[in-house]
Amino acid sequence: MAEIQLEGIIKNYGAHRAIHGVDLHVKDGEFVAFVGPSGCGKSTMLRMIAGLEEISGGTLRIGGRVVNEVEPKGRDVAMVFQDYALYPHMTIRENIGFGLKMRGWKAADIGPKVEEAARILQIGDYLERKPGQLSGGQRQRVAMGRAIVREPSVFLFDEPLSNLDAKLRVEMRTQIKRLHAMLGTTTVYVTHDQTEAMTLADKVVVLKAGHIVQEGPPMELYERPNCRFVGEFIGSPQMNIFSGVLDRSAGAPRLQTGNETLELGEVAAHDGARLDVGIRPEHLTWAEGGTERLSPVVEVYEPLGSDTMAICRFGGQEMTARLAPTIALRRDAAIPLGYDTADLHYFDAENGARLAAA
């Protein structure tokens, strides 16, 4: 068993508390991604699991064993860093096998393990080269190969793709997902990129200021964020948020935002309550024949081939709509948009907590 259990985990740096009593269960074989803004504590959490940061309080178990005082080499984990951490004077073969060599393995036993890792990662043709002769993506595969040969109970990834360009990041995401499907090793993955988290993980853990704000399957966080922070953080482009006052005077609930009105579904809030109402750009549709619910003014539009992003102004606030690429847009022109009120998300304006649809 390679499950990971964090129970009341605390991390202090002097008088500053960086992690506030976190509880988390990572199942055996599960792929879990930590996401959140810079400084939220995600890398600190990973480094405590690895044994690279001392735990100030609470209990950490790996495979049922308490490892708070266990050195990194005794935890049976392998970590992949964003900067690859390869030895430039060694060949790729030597880099991948170095950890086994340090553990006293014989060369005859190391060779097959290195060859197998290279085959899995499709870097067999580069084993006699030096790291400086490889691309960033190839070097990251070497770093992963070095972790694979150890056959650890847990893989730990610390923003491994942040140094790669956009095309390579997509390729490496596929490689990492394929690798996890093949090996089934328990994996904890830290990233600032919510797209990586959504596409790779079985479970996403969103952190803010050293607290877990929400955890769950990626689509659960996308479809039902428990607060405004998660709603805005998960999803790309970011969720549109309209702030205003709930008005029930005309019967059907509406949001008064700036000098505009937004039609709502039923929400568990009293007349006059201050709300933040969210809708994702992909849930806004081009409305024709008088069916529009709002008419924002286009400020900028971005043709992307598969779709077009329209950045608009509505009620004094900026908003984005993801529209079909065939729609012709003009700057400073109002466009007719519709939406299903079932796709709206309601948050308390004061504390950001999700409000139930009535």
Side-chain angles (χ1 to χ4, degrees), residues 89-125:
H89 62 286
M90 293 183 183
T91 65
I92 300 311
R93 182 186 299 278
E94 291 168 335
N95 264 283
I96 295 176
F98 183 73
L100 299 181
K101 182 179 179 180
M102 290 297 97
R103 286 169 172 76
W105 283 49
K106 297 179 181 179
D109 297 324
I110 294 174
K113 299 281 288 183
V114 171
E115 295 281 349
E116 176 63 10
R119 182 192 66 78
I120 291 171
L121 294 167
Q122 301 173 4
I123 52 174
D125 293 340

mmCIF file of all heavy atoms in Angstrom, residues 89-125:
data_model
loop_
_atom_site.group_PDB
_atom_site.id
_atom_site.type_symbol
_atom_site.label_atom_id
_atom_site.label_comp_id
_atom_site.label_asym_id
_atom_site.label_seq_id
_atom_site.Cartn_x
_atom_site.Cartn_y
_atom_site.Cartn_z
ATOM 1 N N HIS A 89 27.979 16.335 -16.701
ATOM 2 C CA HIS A 89 29.162 15.612 -17.184
ATOM 3 C C HIS A 89 28.877 14.132 -17.430
ATOM 4 O O HIS A 89 29.709 13.416 -17.977
ATOM 5 C CB HIS A 89 30.301 15.744 -16.166
ATOM 6 C CG HIS A 89 29.995 15.154 -14.832
ATOM 7 N ND1 HIS A 89 29.134 15.752 -13.940
ATOM 8 C CD2 HIS A 89 30.416 14.004 -14.242
ATOM 9 C CE1 HIS A 89 29.055 15.012 -12.845
ATOM 10 N NE2 HIS A 89 29.815 13.942 -13.009
ATOM 11 N N MET A 90 27.698 13.653 -17.017
ATOM 12 C CA MET A 90 27.348 12.247 -17.191
ATOM 13 C C MET A 90 26.492 12.053 -18.436
ATOM 14 O O MET A 90 25.763 12.952 -18.864
ATOM 15 C CB MET A 90 26.546 11.738 -15.982
ATOM 16 C CG MET A 90 27.304 11.665 -14.683
ATOM 17 S SD MET A 90 26.217 10.949 -13.399
ATOM 18 C CE MET A 90 27.299 11.049 -11.977
ATOM 19 N N THR A 91 26.545 10.863 -19.009
ATOM 20 C CA THR A 91 25.648 10.522 -20.111
ATOM 21 C C THR A 91 24.236 10.339 -19.561
ATOM 22 O O THR A 91 24.021 10.235 -18.338
ATOM 23 C CB THR A 91 26.075 9.222 -20.802
ATOM 24 O OG1 THR A 91 25.946 8.135 -19.868
ATOM 25 C CG2 THR A 91 27.504 9.306 -21.316
ATOM 26 N N ILE A 92 23.283 10.256 -20.462
ATOM 27 C CA ILE A 92 21.897 10.023 -20.045
ATOM 28 C C ILE A 92 21.790 8.671 -19.353
ATOM 29 O O ILE A 92 21.101 8.535 -18.331
ATOM 30 C CB ILE A 92 20.955 10.083 -21.267
ATOM 31 C CG1 ILE A 92 21.042 11.457 -21.947
ATOM 32 C CG2 ILE A 92 19.528 9.756 -20.864
ATOM 33 C CD1 ILE A 92 20.915 12.648 -21.031
ATOM 34 N N ARG A 93 22.491 7.681 -19.869
ATOM 35 C CA ARG A 93 22.483 6.358 -19.235
ATOM 36 C C ARG A 93 22.976 6.452 -17.794
ATOM 37 O O ARG A 93 22.379 5.877 -16.871
ATOM 38 C CB ARG A 93 23.360 5.399 -20.037
ATOM 39 C CG ARG A 93 23.382 3.960 -19.493
ATOM 40 C CD ARG A 93 24.387 3.104 -20.254
ATOM 41 N NE ARG A 93 24.056 3.009 -21.668
ATOM 42 C CZ ARG A 93 23.168 2.162 -22.178
ATOM 43 N NH1 ARG A 93 22.495 1.350 -21.368
ATOM 44 N NH2 ARG A 93 22.932 2.137 -23.470
ATOM 45 N N GLU A 94 24.059 7.179 -17.597
ATOM 46 C CA GLU A 94 24.640 7.311 -16.261
ATOM 47 C C GLU A 94 23.735 8.116 -15.335
ATOM 48 O O GLU A 94 23.609 7.798 -14.143
ATOM 49 C CB GLU A 94 26.015 7.964 -16.360
ATOM 50 C CG GLU A 94 27.068 7.083 -17.019
ATOM 51 C CD GLU A 94 28.335 7.847 -17.373
ATOM 52 O OE1 GLU A 94 28.262 9.084 -17.551
ATOM 53 O OE2 GLU A 94 29.401 7.205 -17.481
ATOM 54 N N ASN A 95 23.080 9.150 -15.871
ATOM 55 C CA ASN A 95 22.155 9.947 -15.061
ATOM 56 C C ASN A 95 20.986 9.106 -14.559
ATOM 57 O O ASN A 95 20.627 9.169 -13.380
ATOM 58 C CB ASN A 95 21.632 11.136 -15.877
ATOM 59 C CG ASN A 95 22.408 12.408 -15.644
ATOM 60 O OD1 ASN A 95 22.242 13.081 -14.634
ATOM 61 N ND2 ASN A 95 23.290 12.732 -16.589
ATOM 62 N N ILE A 96 20.399 8.331 -15.454
ATOM 63 C CA ILE A 96 19.234 7.524 -15.067
ATOM 64 C C ILE A 96 19.613 6.474 -14.031
ATOM 65 O O ILE A 96 18.876 6.220 -13.070
ATOM 66 C CB ILE A 96 18.592 6.865 -16.306
ATOM 67 C CG1 ILE A 96 18.016 7.941 -17.237
ATOM 68 C CG2 ILE A 96 17.502 5.880 -15.897
ATOM 69 C CD1 ILE A 96 17.448 7.399 -18.532
ATOM 70 N N GLY A 97 20.788 5.878 -14.188
ATOM 71 C CA GLY A 97 21.190 4.796 -13.293
ATOM 72 C C GLY A 97 21.933 5.237 -12.052
ATOM 73 O O GLY A 97 22.257 4.409 -11.197
ATOM 74 N N PHE A 98 22.174 6.551 -11.910
ATOM 75 C CA PHE A 98 23.044 7.021 -10.828
ATOM 76 C C PHE A 98 22.493 6.676 -9.438
ATOM 77 O O PHE A 98 23.241 6.252 -8.548
ATOM 78 C CB PHE A 98 23.236 8.538 -10.939
ATOM 79 C CG PHE A 98 24.184 9.100 -9.917
ATOM 80 C CD1 PHE A 98 25.547 8.879 -10.030
ATOM 81 C CD2 PHE A 98 23.712 9.828 -8.838
ATOM 82 C CE1 PHE A 98 26.428 9.392 -9.084
ATOM 83 C CE2 PHE A 98 24.577 10.338 -7.878
ATOM 84 C CZ PHE A 98 25.942 10.122 -8.004
ATOM 85 N N GLY A 99 21.197 6.843 -9.254
ATOM 86 C CA GLY A 99 20.612 6.557 -7.950
ATOM 87 C C GLY A 99 20.780 5.101 -7.555
ATOM 88 O O GLY A 99 21.041 4.782 -6.386
ATOM 89 N N LEU A 100 20.644 4.203 -8.529
ATOM 90 C CA LEU A 100 20.824 2.773 -8.243
ATOM 91 C C LEU A 100 22.279 2.473 -7.927
ATOM 92 O O LEU A 100 22.581 1.664 -7.037
ATOM 93 C CB LEU A 100 20.347 1.941 -9.441
ATOM 94 C CG LEU A 100 18.867 2.090 -9.826
ATOM 95 C CD1 LEU A 100 18.537 1.194 -11.005
ATOM 96 C CD2 LEU A 100 17.960 1.783 -8.640
ATOM 97 N N LYS A 101 23.180 3.127 -8.638
ATOM 98 C CA LYS A 101 24.612 2.934 -8.379
ATOM 99 C C LYS A 101 24.964 3.347 -6.949
ATOM 100 O O LYS A 101 25.734 2.667 -6.254
ATOM 101 C CB LYS A 101 25.427 3.747 -9.385
ATOM 102 C CG LYS A 101 26.937 3.589 -9.240
ATOM 103 C CD LYS A 101 27.668 4.416 -10.286
ATOM 104 C CE LYS A 101 29.187 4.282 -10.116
ATOM 105 N NZ LYS A 101 29.912 5.097 -11.137
ATOM 106 N N MET A 102 24.395 4.460 -6.500
ATOM 107 C CA MET A 102 24.655 4.936 -5.141
ATOM 108 C C MET A 102 24.079 3.996 -4.082
ATOM 109 O O MET A 102 24.524 4.010 -2.933
ATOM 110 C CB MET A 102 24.063 6.340 -4.957
ATOM 111 C CG MET A 102 24.774 7.442 -5.721
ATOM 112 S SD MET A 102 26.507 7.687 -5.183
ATOM 113 C CE MET A 102 27.405 6.728 -6.428
ATOM 114 N N ARG A 103 23.111 3.185 -4.487
ATOM 115 C CA ARG A 103 22.531 2.218 -3.555
ATOM 116 C C ARG A 103 23.253 0.882 -3.598
ATOM 117 O O ARG A 103 22.811 -0.088 -2.976
ATOM 118 C CB ARG A 103 21.036 2.027 -3.853
ATOM 119 C CG ARG A 103 20.180 3.209 -3.409
ATOM 120 C CD ARG A 103 18.763 3.110 -3.950
ATOM 121 N NE ARG A 103 17.903 4.136 -3.379
ATOM 122 C CZ ARG A 103 17.898 5.403 -3.711
ATOM 123 N NH1 ARG A 103 18.733 5.833 -4.658
ATOM 124 N NH2 ARG A 103 17.095 6.269 -3.124
ATOM 125 N N GLY A 104 24.342 0.828 -4.359
ATOM 126 C CA GLY A 104 25.167 -0.369 -4.384
ATOM 127 C C GLY A 104 24.779 -1.410 -5.409
ATOM 128 O O GLY A 104 25.269 -2.545 -5.355
ATOM 129 N N TRP A 105 23.911 -1.029 -6.358
ATOM 130 C CA TRP A 105 23.535 -1.981 -7.398
ATOM 131 C C TRP A 105 24.729 -2.268 -8.309
ATOM 132 O O TRP A 105 25.571 -1.391 -8.545
ATOM 133 C CB TRP A 105 22.391 -1.424 -8.242
ATOM 134 C CG TRP A 105 21.040 -1.494 -7.593
ATOM 135 C CD1 TRP A 105 20.698 -1.097 -6.339
ATOM 136 C CD2 TRP A 105 19.835 -1.966 -8.204
ATOM 137 N NE1 TRP A 105 19.366 -1.279 -6.109
ATOM 138 C CE2 TRP A 105 18.798 -1.820 -7.235
ATOM 139 C CE3 TRP A 105 19.523 -2.488 -9.442
ATOM 140 C CZ2 TRP A 105 17.481 -2.185 -7.492
ATOM 141 C CZ3 TRP A 105 18.212 -2.839 -9.710
ATOM 142 C CH2 TRP A 105 17.199 -2.696 -8.739
ATOM 143 N N LYS A 106 24.770 -3.485 -8.859
ATOM 144 C CA LYS A 106 25.797 -3.859 -9.821
ATOM 145 C C LYS A 106 25.432 -3.344 -11.209
ATOM 146 O O LYS A 106 24.255 -3.248 -11.558
ATOM 147 C CB LYS A 106 25.960 -5.378 -9.858
ATOM 148 C CG LYS A 106 26.440 -5.970 -8.541
ATOM 149 C CD LYS A 106 26.545 -7.481 -8.642
ATOM 150 C CE LYS A 106 27.011 -8.086 -7.310
ATOM 151 N NZ LYS A 106 27.091 -9.565 -7.382
ATOM 152 N N ALA A 107 26.482 -3.049 -11.993
ATOM 153 C CA ALA A 107 26.258 -2.508 -13.339
ATOM 154 C C ALA A 107 25.394 -3.442 -14.183
ATOM 155 O O ALA A 107 24.553 -2.991 -14.976
ATOM 156 C CB ALA A 107 27.591 -2.259 -14.030
ATOM 157 N N ALA A 108 25.572 -4.756 -14.013
ATOM 158 C CA ALA A 108 24.808 -5.725 -14.803
ATOM 159 C C ALA A 108 23.322 -5.669 -14.475
ATOM 160 O O ALA A 108 22.472 -5.999 -15.316
ATOM 161 C CB ALA A 108 25.336 -7.135 -14.543
ATOM 162 N N ASP A 109 22.977 -5.229 -13.254
ATOM 163 C CA ASP A 109 21.566 -5.120 -12.862
ATOM 164 C C ASP A 109 20.989 -3.751 -13.209
ATOM 165 O O ASP A 109 19.791 -3.625 -13.482
ATOM 166 C CB ASP A 109 21.431 -5.366 -11.358
ATOM 167 C CG ASP A 109 21.847 -6.775 -10.954
ATOM 168 O OD1 ASP A 109 21.581 -7.706 -11.736
ATOM 169 O OD2 ASP A 109 22.440 -6.927 -9.871
ATOM 170 N N ILE A 110 21.850 -2.723 -13.197
ATOM 171 C CA ILE A 110 21.395 -1.371 -13.520
ATOM 172 C C ILE A 110 21.029 -1.249 -14.993
ATOM 173 O O ILE A 110 20.017 -0.632 -15.348
ATOM 174 C CB ILE A 110 22.479 -0.332 -13.157
ATOM 175 C CG1 ILE A 110 22.690 -0.299 -11.637
ATOM 176 C CG2 ILE A 110 22.094 1.059 -13.667
ATOM 177 C CD1 ILE A 110 23.843 0.587 -11.208
ATOM 178 N N GLY A 111 21.840 -1.849 -15.865
ATOM 179 C CA GLY A 111 21.652 -1.715 -17.308
ATOM 180 C C GLY A 111 20.243 -2.016 -17.790
ATOM 181 O O GLY A 111 19.614 -1.184 -18.457
ATOM 182 N N PRO A 112 19.678 -3.183 -17.462
ATOM 183 C CA PRO A 112 18.326 -3.501 -17.932
ATOM 184 C C PRO A 112 17.264 -2.538 -17.398
ATOM 185 O O PRO A 112 16.303 -2.221 -18.097
ATOM 186 C CB PRO A 112 18.094 -4.917 -17.389
ATOM 187 C CG PRO A 112 19.459 -5.490 -17.216
ATOM 188 C CD PRO A 112 20.314 -4.340 -16.801
ATOM 189 N N LYS A 113 17.440 -2.075 -16.159
ATOM 190 C CA LYS A 113 16.478 -1.139 -15.588
ATOM 191 C C LYS A 113 16.494 0.185 -16.352
ATOM 192 O O LYS A 113 15.449 0.769 -16.636
ATOM 193 C CB LYS A 113 16.804 -0.878 -14.109
ATOM 194 C CG LYS A 113 16.755 -2.106 -13.238
ATOM 195 C CD LYS A 113 15.351 -2.498 -12.876
ATOM 196 C CE LYS A 113 14.752 -1.546 -11.878
ATOM 197 N NZ LYS A 113 13.391 -1.983 -11.483
ATOM 198 N N VAL A 114 17.704 0.659 -16.694
ATOM 199 C CA VAL A 114 17.839 1.901 -17.444
ATOM 200 C C VAL A 114 17.242 1.741 -18.840
ATOM 201 O O VAL A 114 16.521 2.627 -19.321
ATOM 202 C CB VAL A 114 19.314 2.324 -17.529
ATOM 203 C CG1 VAL A 114 19.482 3.505 -18.488
ATOM 204 C CG2 VAL A 114 19.854 2.685 -16.143
ATOM 205 N N GLU A 115 17.523 0.617 -19.476
ATOM 206 C CA GLU A 115 17.003 0.372 -20.821
ATOM 207 C C GLU A 115 15.471 0.358 -20.825
ATOM 208 O O GLU A 115 14.843 0.907 -21.723
ATOM 209 C CB GLU A 115 17.541 -0.963 -21.351
ATOM 210 C CG GLU A 115 19.039 -1.020 -21.571
ATOM 211 C CD GLU A 115 19.470 -0.341 -22.859
ATOM 212 O OE1 GLU A 115 18.582 -0.007 -23.677
ATOM 213 O OE2 GLU A 115 20.689 -0.155 -23.050
ATOM 214 N N GLU A 116 14.874 -0.255 -19.797
ATOM 215 C CA GLU A 116 13.420 -0.336 -19.729
ATOM 216 C C GLU A 116 12.805 1.037 -19.508
ATOM 217 O O GLU A 116 11.807 1.405 -20.144
ATOM 218 C CB GLU A 116 13.006 -1.292 -18.609
ATOM 219 C CG GLU A 116 11.510 -1.396 -18.368
ATOM 220 C CD GLU A 116 10.724 -1.943 -19.549
ATOM 221 O OE1 GLU A 116 11.341 -2.430 -20.525
ATOM 222 O OE2 GLU A 116 9.474 -1.879 -19.514
ATOM 223 N N ALA A 117 13.397 1.831 -18.611
ATOM 224 C CA ALA A 117 12.888 3.187 -18.381
ATOM 225 C C ALA A 117 13.001 4.027 -19.646
ATOM 226 O O ALA A 117 12.088 4.796 -19.983
ATOM 227 C CB ALA A 117 13.653 3.842 -17.238
ATOM 228 N N ALA A 118 14.123 3.893 -20.352
ATOM 229 C CA ALA A 118 14.321 4.644 -21.592
ATOM 230 C C ALA A 118 13.300 4.231 -22.650
ATOM 231 O O ALA A 118 12.805 5.065 -23.418
ATOM 232 C CB ALA A 118 15.740 4.438 -22.106
ATOM 233 N N ARG A 119 12.971 2.936 -22.678
ATOM 234 C CA ARG A 119 11.973 2.459 -23.645
ATOM 235 C C ARG A 119 10.603 3.061 -23.329
ATOM 236 O O ARG A 119 9.904 3.552 -24.224
ATOM 237 C CB ARG A 119 11.884 0.933 -23.598
ATOM 238 C CG ARG A 119 10.901 0.333 -24.613
ATOM 239 C CD ARG A 119 10.638 -1.125 -24.336
ATOM 240 N NE ARG A 119 9.940 -1.323 -23.066
ATOM 241 C CZ ARG A 119 8.633 -1.115 -22.901
ATOM 242 N NH1 ARG A 119 7.880 -0.683 -23.921
ATOM 243 N NH2 ARG A 119 8.071 -1.313 -21.722
ATOM 244 N N ILE A 120 10.224 3.043 -22.054
ATOM 245 C CA ILE A 120 8.926 3.578 -21.646
ATOM 246 C C ILE A 120 8.812 5.055 -22.017
ATOM 247 O O ILE A 120 7.770 5.522 -22.481
ATOM 248 C CB ILE A 120 8.725 3.385 -20.128
ATOM 249 C CG1 ILE A 120 8.547 1.894 -19.798
ATOM 250 C CG2 ILE A 120 7.528 4.189 -19.620
ATOM 251 C CD1 ILE A 120 8.555 1.591 -18.320
ATOM 252 N N LEU A 121 9.903 5.805 -21.830
ATOM 253 C CA LEU A 121 9.892 7.258 -22.044
ATOM 254 C C LEU A 121 10.343 7.669 -23.445
ATOM 255 O O LEU A 121 10.459 8.854 -23.740
ATOM 256 C CB LEU A 121 10.776 7.937 -20.998
ATOM 257 C CG LEU A 121 10.254 7.807 -19.565
ATOM 258 C CD1 LEU A 121 11.328 8.227 -18.566
ATOM 259 C CD2 LEU A 121 9.007 8.652 -19.366
ATOM 260 N N GLN A 122 10.636 6.680 -24.283
ATOM 261 C CA GLN A 122 11.012 6.917 -25.682
ATOM 262 C C GLN A 122 12.261 7.798 -25.803
ATOM 263 O O GLN A 122 12.316 8.732 -26.599
ATOM 264 C CB GLN A 122 9.835 7.551 -26.443
ATOM 265 C CG GLN A 122 8.584 6.692 -26.417
ATOM 266 C CD GLN A 122 7.362 7.366 -27.016
ATOM 267 O OE1 GLN A 122 7.435 8.464 -27.536
ATOM 268 N NE2 GLN A 122 6.220 6.723 -26.925
ATOM 269 N N ILE A 123 13.275 7.484 -24.986
ATOM 270 C CA ILE A 123 14.549 8.207 -25.058
ATOM 271 C C ILE A 123 15.714 7.230 -25.243
ATOM 272 O O ILE A 123 16.862 7.554 -24.955
ATOM 273 C CB ILE A 123 14.791 9.081 -23.799
ATOM 274 C CG1 ILE A 123 14.628 8.252 -22.521
ATOM 275 C CG2 ILE A 123 13.862 10.282 -23.798
ATOM 276 C CD1 ILE A 123 14.994 9.010 -21.251
ATOM 277 N N GLY A 124 15.413 6.035 -25.748
ATOM 278 C CA GLY A 124 16.442 5.016 -25.929
ATOM 279 C C GLY A 124 17.558 5.439 -26.859
ATOM 280 O O GLY A 124 18.711 4.998 -26.705
ATOM 281 N N ASP A 125 17.272 6.313 -27.818
ATOM 282 C CA ASP A 125 18.290 6.743 -28.787
ATOM 283 C C ASP A 125 19.256 7.775 -28.222
ATOM 284 O O ASP A 125 20.231 8.133 -28.883
ATOM 285 C CB ASP A 125 17.617 7.336 -30.032
ATOM 286 C CG ASP A 125 16.847 6.284 -30.822
ATOM 287 O OD1 ASP A 125 17.134 5.086 -30.647
ATOM 288 O OD2 ASP A 125 15.950 6.670 -31.595
#
